[in-house]
PDB file of all heavy atoms in Angstrom:
ATOM      1  N   GLN Q   9     -11.271  -9.584  -6.084  1.00 83.00           N
ATOM      2  CA  GLN Q   9     -12.752  -9.729  -6.495  1.00 83.00           C
ATOM      3  C   GLN Q   9     -13.465  -8.490  -6.309  1.00 83.00           C
ATOM      4  O   GLN Q   9     -14.554  -8.081  -6.990  1.00 83.00           O
ATOM      5  CB  GLN Q   9     -13.360 -10.825  -5.678  1.00 83.00           C
ATOM      6  CG  GLN Q   9     -12.729 -12.182  -5.906  1.00 83.00           C
ATOM      7  CD  GLN Q   9     -12.751 -12.675  -7.292  1.00 83.00           C
ATOM      8  OE1 GLN Q   9     -13.795 -12.437  -7.947  1.00 83.00           O
ATOM      9  NE2 GLN Q   9     -11.687 -13.083  -7.841  1.00 83.00           N
ATOM     10  N   ASN Q  10     -13.009  -7.523  -5.355  1.00 85.00           N
ATOM     11  CA  ASN Q  10     -13.884  -6.390  -5.114  1.00 85.00           C
ATOM     12  C   ASN Q  10     -12.834  -5.148  -4.803  1.00 85.00           C
ATOM     13  O   ASN Q  10     -11.701  -5.237  -4.708  1.00 85.00           O
ATOM     14  CB  ASN Q  10     -14.808  -6.619  -3.977  1.00 85.00           C
ATOM     15  CG  ASN Q  10     -14.038  -7.087  -2.727  1.00 85.00           C
ATOM     16  OD1 ASN Q  10     -13.239  -6.344  -2.184  1.00 85.00           O
ATOM     17  ND2 ASN Q  10     -14.325  -8.341  -2.324  1.00 85.00           N
ATOM     18  N   LYS Q  11     -13.482  -3.938  -4.816  1.00 82.00           N
ATOM     19  CA  LYS Q  11     -12.740  -2.753  -4.502  1.00 82.00           C
ATOM     20  C   LYS Q  11     -12.113  -2.674  -3.110  1.00 82.00           C
ATOM     21  O   LYS Q  11     -11.119  -2.011  -2.903  1.00 82.00           O
ATOM     22  CB  LYS Q  11     -13.673  -1.534  -4.728  1.00 82.00           C
ATOM     23  CG  LYS Q  11     -14.185  -1.273  -6.044  1.00 82.00           C
ATOM     24  CD  LYS Q  11     -15.034  -0.133  -6.333  1.00 82.00           C
ATOM     25  CE  LYS Q  11     -15.387   0.188  -7.666  1.00 82.00           C
ATOM     26  NZ  LYS Q  11     -16.350   1.375  -7.876  1.00 82.00           N
ATOM     27  N   GLN Q  12     -12.829  -3.287  -2.189  1.00 85.00           N
ATOM     28  CA  GLN Q  12     -12.290  -3.273  -0.779  1.00 85.00           C
ATOM     29  C   GLN Q  12     -10.968  -3.975  -0.779  1.00 85.00           C
ATOM     30  O   GLN Q  12      -9.991  -3.593  -0.081  1.00 85.00           O
ATOM     31  CB  GLN Q  12     -13.380  -3.987   0.196  1.00 85.00           C
ATOM     32  CG  GLN Q  12     -12.900  -3.909   1.650  1.00 85.00           C
ATOM     33  CD  GLN Q  12     -12.585  -2.464   2.198  1.00 85.00           C
ATOM     34  OE1 GLN Q  12     -13.354  -1.623   1.767  1.00 85.00           O
ATOM     35  NE2 GLN Q  12     -11.758  -2.390   3.132  1.00 85.00           N
ATOM     36  N   GLN Q  13     -10.816  -5.124  -1.385  1.00 85.00           N
ATOM     37  CA  GLN Q  13      -9.537  -5.843  -1.393  1.00 85.00           C
ATOM     38  C   GLN Q  13      -8.463  -4.950  -2.033  1.00 85.00           C
ATOM     39  O   GLN Q  13      -7.342  -4.880  -1.589  1.00 85.00           O
ATOM     40  CB  GLN Q  13      -9.708  -7.212  -2.156  1.00 85.00           C
ATOM     41  CG  GLN Q  13     -10.466  -8.213  -1.493  1.00 85.00           C
ATOM     42  CD  GLN Q  13     -10.591  -9.508  -2.266  1.00 85.00           C
ATOM     43  OE1 GLN Q  13     -10.730  -9.546  -3.475  1.00 85.00           O
ATOM     44  NE2 GLN Q  13     -10.563 -10.719  -1.522  1.00 85.00           N
ATOM     45  N   ARG Q  14      -8.905  -4.340  -3.158  1.00 80.00           N
ATOM     46  CA  ARG Q  14      -7.865  -3.553  -3.800  1.00 80.00           C
ATOM     47  C   ARG Q  14      -7.528  -2.376  -2.938  1.00 80.00           C
ATOM     48  O   ARG Q  14      -6.252  -1.950  -2.956  1.00 80.00           O
ATOM     49  CB  ARG Q  14      -8.505  -2.968  -5.109  1.00 80.00           C
ATOM     50  CG  ARG Q  14      -8.732  -3.964  -6.137  1.00 80.00           C
ATOM     51  CD  ARG Q  14      -9.156  -3.364  -7.542  1.00 80.00           C
ATOM     52  NE  ARG Q  14      -9.508  -4.371  -8.543  1.00 80.00           N
ATOM     53  CZ  ARG Q  14     -10.690  -4.844  -8.712  1.00 80.00           C
ATOM     54  NH1 ARG Q  14     -11.739  -4.321  -8.057  1.00 80.00           N
ATOM     55  NH2 ARG Q  14     -10.844  -5.755  -9.667  1.00 80.00           N
ATOM     56  N   LYS Q  15      -8.358  -1.772  -2.198  1.00 77.00           N
ATOM     57  CA  LYS Q  15      -8.226  -0.578  -1.276  1.00 77.00           C
ATOM     58  C   LYS Q  15      -7.119  -1.049  -0.252  1.00 77.00           C
ATOM     59  O   LYS Q  15      -6.220  -0.253   0.074  1.00 77.00           O
ATOM     60  CB  LYS Q  15      -9.462  -0.109  -0.687  1.00 77.00           C
ATOM     61  CG  LYS Q  15      -9.300   1.138   0.210  1.00 77.00           C
ATOM     62  CD  LYS Q  15     -10.505   1.604   0.648  1.00 77.00           C
ATOM     63  CE  LYS Q  15     -10.466   2.798   1.543  1.00 77.00           C
ATOM     64  NZ  LYS Q  15     -11.695   3.292   2.024  1.00 77.00           N
ATOM     65  N   VAL Q  16      -7.460  -2.123   0.323  1.00 82.00           N
ATOM     66  CA  VAL Q  16      -6.452  -2.726   1.420  1.00 82.00           C
ATOM     67  C   VAL Q  16      -5.129  -2.961   0.847  1.00 82.00           C
ATOM     68  O   VAL Q  16      -4.036  -2.587   1.556  1.00 82.00           O
ATOM     69  CB  VAL Q  16      -7.047  -3.993   2.030  1.00 82.00           C
ATOM     70  CG1 VAL Q  16      -6.029  -4.646   3.007  1.00 82.00           C
ATOM     71  CG2 VAL Q  16      -8.341  -3.674   2.798  1.00 82.00           C
ATOM     72  N   TYR Q  17      -4.996  -3.427  -0.308  1.00 80.00           N
ATOM     73  CA  TYR Q  17      -3.806  -3.789  -0.967  1.00 80.00           C
ATOM     74  C   TYR Q  17      -2.963  -2.584  -1.356  1.00 80.00           C
ATOM     75  O   TYR Q  17      -1.808  -2.388  -1.082  1.00 80.00           O
ATOM     76  CB  TYR Q  17      -4.034  -4.556  -2.180  1.00 80.00           C
ATOM     77  CG  TYR Q  17      -2.715  -4.852  -3.104  1.00 80.00           C
ATOM     78  CD1 TYR Q  17      -1.789  -5.761  -2.558  1.00 80.00           C
ATOM     79  CD2 TYR Q  17      -2.556  -4.380  -4.320  1.00 80.00           C
ATOM     80  CE1 TYR Q  17      -0.556  -6.050  -3.306  1.00 80.00           C
ATOM     81  CE2 TYR Q  17      -1.348  -4.608  -4.986  1.00 80.00           C
ATOM     82  CZ  TYR Q  17      -0.452  -5.564  -4.406  1.00 80.00           C
ATOM     83  OH  TYR Q  17       0.644  -5.715  -5.231  1.00 80.00           O
ATOM     84  N   VAL Q  18      -3.707  -1.461  -1.758  1.00 72.00           N
ATOM     85  CA  VAL Q  18      -3.115  -0.160  -2.092  1.00 72.00           C
ATOM     86  C   VAL Q  18      -2.491   0.497  -0.826  1.00 72.00           C
ATOM     87  O   VAL Q  18      -1.415   1.032  -0.846  1.00 72.00           O
ATOM     88  CB  VAL Q  18      -4.088   0.703  -2.810  1.00 72.00           C
ATOM     89  CG1 VAL Q  18      -3.701   2.207  -2.678  1.00 72.00           C
ATOM     90  CG2 VAL Q  18      -4.391   0.257  -4.209  1.00 72.00           C
ATOM     91  N   LYS Q  19      -3.228   0.402   0.206  1.00 72.00           N
ATOM     92  CA  LYS Q  19      -2.827   1.108   1.569  1.00 72.00           C
ATOM     93  C   LYS Q  19      -1.556   0.341   2.073  1.00 72.00           C
ATOM     94  O   LYS Q  19      -0.603   0.988   2.564  1.00 72.00           O
ATOM     95  CB  LYS Q  19      -3.959   0.983   2.584  1.00 72.00           C
ATOM     96  CG  LYS Q  19      -5.095   2.097   2.277  1.00 72.00           C
ATOM     97  CD  LYS Q  19      -6.093   2.045   3.447  1.00 72.00           C
ATOM     98  CE  LYS Q  19      -7.116   3.029   3.246  1.00 72.00           C
ATOM     99  NZ  LYS Q  19      -6.493   4.470   3.263  1.00 72.00           N
ATOM    100  N   ARG Q  20      -1.558  -0.993   1.873  1.00 78.00           N
ATOM    101  CA  ARG Q  20      -0.351  -1.732   2.433  1.00 78.00           C
ATOM    102  C   ARG Q  20       0.832  -1.376   1.636  1.00 78.00           C
ATOM    103  O   ARG Q  20       1.959  -1.199   2.086  1.00 78.00           O
ATOM    104  CB  ARG Q  20      -0.712  -3.203   2.269  1.00 78.00           C
ATOM    105  CG  ARG Q  20       0.423  -4.084   2.855  1.00 78.00           C
ATOM    106  CD  ARG Q  20       0.166  -5.604   2.677  1.00 78.00           C
ATOM    107  NE  ARG Q  20      -1.190  -5.932   3.161  1.00 78.00           N
ATOM    108  CZ  ARG Q  20      -2.179  -6.510   2.459  1.00 78.00           C
ATOM    109  NH1 ARG Q  20      -1.970  -6.695   1.184  1.00 78.00           N
ATOM    110  NH2 ARG Q  20      -3.320  -6.762   3.096  1.00 78.00           N
ATOM    111  N   THR Q  21       0.590  -1.090   0.337  1.00 72.00           N
ATOM    112  CA  THR Q  21       1.709  -0.821  -0.556  1.00 72.00           C
ATOM    113  C   THR Q  21       2.117   0.584  -0.286  1.00 72.00           C
ATOM    114  O   THR Q  21       3.410   0.951  -0.158  1.00 72.00           O
ATOM    115  CB  THR Q  21       1.347  -0.869  -2.053  1.00 72.00           C
ATOM    116  OG1 THR Q  21       0.855  -2.145  -2.393  1.00 72.00           O
ATOM    117  CG2 THR Q  21       2.496  -0.431  -2.974  1.00 72.00           C
ATOM    118  N   GLN Q  22       1.274   1.462   0.035  1.00 66.00           N
ATOM    119  CA  GLN Q  22       1.575   2.830   0.447  1.00 66.00           C
ATOM    120  C   GLN Q  22       2.550   2.853   1.609  1.00 66.00           C
ATOM    121  O   GLN Q  22       3.474   3.621   1.775  1.00 66.00           O
ATOM    122  CB  GLN Q  22       0.428   3.712   0.613  1.00 66.00           C
ATOM    123  CG  GLN Q  22       0.741   5.198   1.040  1.00 66.00           C
ATOM    124  CD  GLN Q  22      -0.557   5.939   1.192  1.00 66.00           C
ATOM    125  OE1 GLN Q  22      -1.720   5.433   1.312  1.00 66.00           O
ATOM    126  NE2 GLN Q  22      -0.391   7.221   1.222  1.00 66.00           N
ATOM    127  N   ARG Q  23       2.083   2.031   2.692  1.00 73.00           N
ATOM    128  CA  ARG Q  23       2.928   2.043   3.932  1.00 73.00           C
ATOM    129  C   ARG Q  23       4.372   1.649   3.602  1.00 73.00           C
ATOM    130  O   ARG Q  23       5.237   2.084   4.205  1.00 73.00           O
ATOM    131  CB  ARG Q  23       2.235   1.205   4.945  1.00 73.00           C
ATOM    132  CG  ARG Q  23       0.958   1.871   5.626  1.00 73.00           C
ATOM    133  CD  ARG Q  23       0.519   1.108   6.802  1.00 73.00           C
ATOM    134  NE  ARG Q  23       0.137  -0.320   6.459  1.00 73.00           N
ATOM    135  CZ  ARG Q  23      -1.035  -0.687   6.224  1.00 73.00           C
ATOM    136  NH1 ARG Q  23      -2.034   0.240   6.123  1.00 73.00           N
ATOM    137  NH2 ARG Q  23      -1.308  -1.882   5.933  1.00 73.00           N
ATOM    138  N   TYR Q  24       4.454   0.590   2.736  1.00 73.00           N
ATOM    139  CA  TYR Q  24       5.695  -0.010   2.430  1.00 73.00           C
ATOM    140  C   TYR Q  24       6.614   1.155   1.697  1.00 73.00           C
ATOM    141  O   TYR Q  24       7.804   1.241   2.154  1.00 73.00           O
ATOM    142  CB  TYR Q  24       5.603  -1.281   1.569  1.00 73.00           C
ATOM    143  CG  TYR Q  24       6.896  -1.744   1.079  1.00 73.00           C
ATOM    144  CD1 TYR Q  24       7.691  -2.608   1.739  1.00 73.00           C
ATOM    145  CD2 TYR Q  24       7.425  -1.280  -0.230  1.00 73.00           C
ATOM    146  CE1 TYR Q  24       8.844  -3.194   1.314  1.00 73.00           C
ATOM    147  CE2 TYR Q  24       8.664  -1.886  -0.615  1.00 73.00           C
ATOM    148  CZ  TYR Q  24       9.403  -2.711   0.115  1.00 73.00           C
ATOM    149  OH  TYR Q  24      10.506  -3.114  -0.323  1.00 73.00           O
ATOM    150  N   ILE Q  25       6.022   1.818   0.837  1.00 67.00           N
ATOM    151  CA  ILE Q  25       6.764   2.894   0.108  1.00 67.00           C
ATOM    152  C   ILE Q  25       7.209   3.963   1.125  1.00 67.00           C
ATOM    153  O   ILE Q  25       8.311   4.420   1.103  1.00 67.00           O
ATOM    154  CB  ILE Q  25       5.931   3.452  -1.119  1.00 67.00           C
ATOM    155  CG1 ILE Q  25       5.625   2.371  -2.094  1.00 67.00           C
ATOM    156  CG2 ILE Q  25       6.682   4.643  -1.673  1.00 67.00           C
ATOM    157  CD1 ILE Q  25       6.906   1.945  -2.848  1.00 67.00           C
ATOM    158  N   GLU Q  26       6.376   4.387   1.925  1.00 67.00           N
ATOM    159  CA  GLU Q  26       6.621   5.489   2.800  1.00 67.00           C
ATOM    160  C   GLU Q  26       7.789   5.044   3.821  1.00 67.00           C
ATOM    161  O   GLU Q  26       8.677   5.766   4.193  1.00 67.00           O
ATOM    162  CB  GLU Q  26       5.381   5.831   3.606  1.00 67.00           C
ATOM    163  CG  GLU Q  26       4.375   6.586   2.685  1.00 67.00           C
ATOM    164  CD  GLU Q  26       2.978   6.880   3.522  1.00 67.00           C
ATOM    165  OE1 GLU Q  26       2.841   6.255   4.635  1.00 67.00           O
ATOM    166  OE2 GLU Q  26       2.182   7.593   3.016  1.00 67.00           O
ATOM    167  N   ASP Q  27       7.610   3.804   4.310  1.00 73.00           N
ATOM    168  CA  ASP Q  27       8.627   3.295   5.306  1.00 73.00           C
ATOM    169  C   ASP Q  27      10.027   3.185   4.717  1.00 73.00           C
ATOM    170  O   ASP Q  27      11.059   3.317   5.358  1.00 73.00           O
ATOM    171  CB  ASP Q  27       8.179   1.976   5.827  1.00 73.00           C
ATOM    172  CG  ASP Q  27       6.994   2.095   6.836  1.00 73.00           C
ATOM    173  OD1 ASP Q  27       6.709   3.309   7.189  1.00 73.00           O
ATOM    174  OD2 ASP Q  27       6.330   1.076   7.051  1.00 73.00           O
ATOM    175  N   HIS Q  28      10.041   2.752   3.414  1.00 69.00           N
ATOM    176  CA  HIS Q  28      11.359   2.435   2.784  1.00 69.00           C
ATOM    177  C   HIS Q  28      11.978   3.466   1.918  1.00 69.00           C
ATOM    178  O   HIS Q  28      13.098   3.472   1.736  1.00 69.00           O
ATOM    179  CB  HIS Q  28      11.212   1.110   1.920  1.00 69.00           C
ATOM    180  CG  HIS Q  28      10.998  -0.132   2.851  1.00 69.00           C
ATOM    181  ND1 HIS Q  28       9.841  -0.457   3.359  1.00 69.00           N
ATOM    182  CD2 HIS Q  28      11.789  -1.072   3.218  1.00 69.00           C
ATOM    183  CE1 HIS Q  28       9.875  -1.536   4.052  1.00 69.00           C
ATOM    184  NE2 HIS Q  28      11.132  -1.980   3.977  1.00 69.00           N
ATOM    185  N   PHE Q  29      11.176   4.410   1.469  1.00 69.00           N
ATOM    186  CA  PHE Q  29      11.780   5.361   0.393  1.00 69.00           C
ATOM    187  C   PHE Q  29      11.489   6.782   0.674  1.00 69.00           C
ATOM    188  O   PHE Q  29      12.043   7.658  -0.087  1.00 69.00           O
ATOM    189  CB  PHE Q  29      11.120   5.065  -1.025  1.00 69.00           C
ATOM    190  CG  PHE Q  29      11.435   3.655  -1.430  1.00 69.00           C
ATOM    191  CD1 PHE Q  29      10.521   2.603  -1.256  1.00 69.00           C
ATOM    192  CD2 PHE Q  29      12.815   3.202  -1.846  1.00 69.00           C
ATOM    193  CE1 PHE Q  29      10.795   1.342  -1.684  1.00 69.00           C
ATOM    194  CE2 PHE Q  29      13.026   1.955  -2.218  1.00 69.00           C
ATOM    195  CZ  PHE Q  29      12.012   1.038  -2.191  1.00 69.00           C
ATOM    196  N   THR Q  30      10.963   7.172   1.719  1.00 70.00           N
ATOM    197  CA  THR Q  30      10.623   8.588   2.001  1.00 70.00           C
ATOM    198  C   THR Q  30      11.831   9.391   2.066  1.00 70.00           C
ATOM    199  O   THR Q  30      11.903  10.464   1.330  1.00 70.00           O
ATOM    200  CB  THR Q  30       9.760   8.836   3.354  1.00 70.00           C
ATOM    201  OG1 THR Q  30       8.386   8.117   3.221  1.00 70.00           O
ATOM    202  CG2 THR Q  30       9.518  10.306   3.506  1.00 70.00           C
ATOM    203  N   ASP Q  31      12.819   9.041   2.893  1.00 74.00           N
ATOM    204  CA  ASP Q  31      13.963   9.816   3.037  1.00 74.00           C
ATOM    205  C   ASP Q  31      14.782  10.006   1.802  1.00 74.00           C
ATOM    206  O   ASP Q  31      15.316  11.020   1.454  1.00 74.00           O
ATOM    207  CB  ASP Q  31      14.847   9.192   4.138  1.00 74.00           C
ATOM    208  CG  ASP Q  31      14.293   9.377   5.593  1.00 74.00           C
ATOM    209  OD1 ASP Q  31      13.406  10.191   5.729  1.00 74.00           O
ATOM    210  OD2 ASP Q  31      14.599   8.466   6.343  1.00 74.00           O
ATOM    211  N   GLU Q  32      14.817   8.858   0.954  1.00 74.00           N
ATOM    212  CA  GLU Q  32      15.625   8.908  -0.237  1.00 74.00           C
ATOM    213  C   GLU Q  32      14.958   9.793  -1.270  1.00 74.00           C
ATOM    214  O   GLU Q  32      15.611  10.692  -1.936  1.00 74.00           O
ATOM    215  CB  GLU Q  32      15.773   7.575  -0.796  1.00 74.00           C
ATOM    216  CG  GLU Q  32      16.736   6.655  -0.092  1.00 74.00           C
ATOM    217  CD  GLU Q  32      18.168   7.385  -0.184  1.00 74.00           C
ATOM    218  OE1 GLU Q  32      18.630   7.683  -1.219  1.00 74.00           O
ATOM    219  OE2 GLU Q  32      18.805   7.521   0.868  1.00 74.00           O
TER     220      GLU Q  32
END
């Protein structure tokens, strides 16, 4: 519904990507 929800979702996705794919 709002930008804040999207921002939180984006940050959560970023952490997932960094944790799982940085080294590769």
Side-chain angles (χ1 to χ4, degrees):
Q9 302 300 316
N10 55 62
K11 291 183 178 179
Q12 182 60 31
Q13 287 180 322
R14 296 188 180 95
K15 184 177 180 180
V16 172
Y17 179 66
V18 164
K19 286 185 177 294
R20 185 183 304 121
T21 303
Q22 180 180 13
R23 285 195 298 269
Y24 175 84
I25 295 295
E26 291 175 348
D27 291 344
H28 289 79
F29 300 104
T30 297
D31 292 340
E32 284 300 311

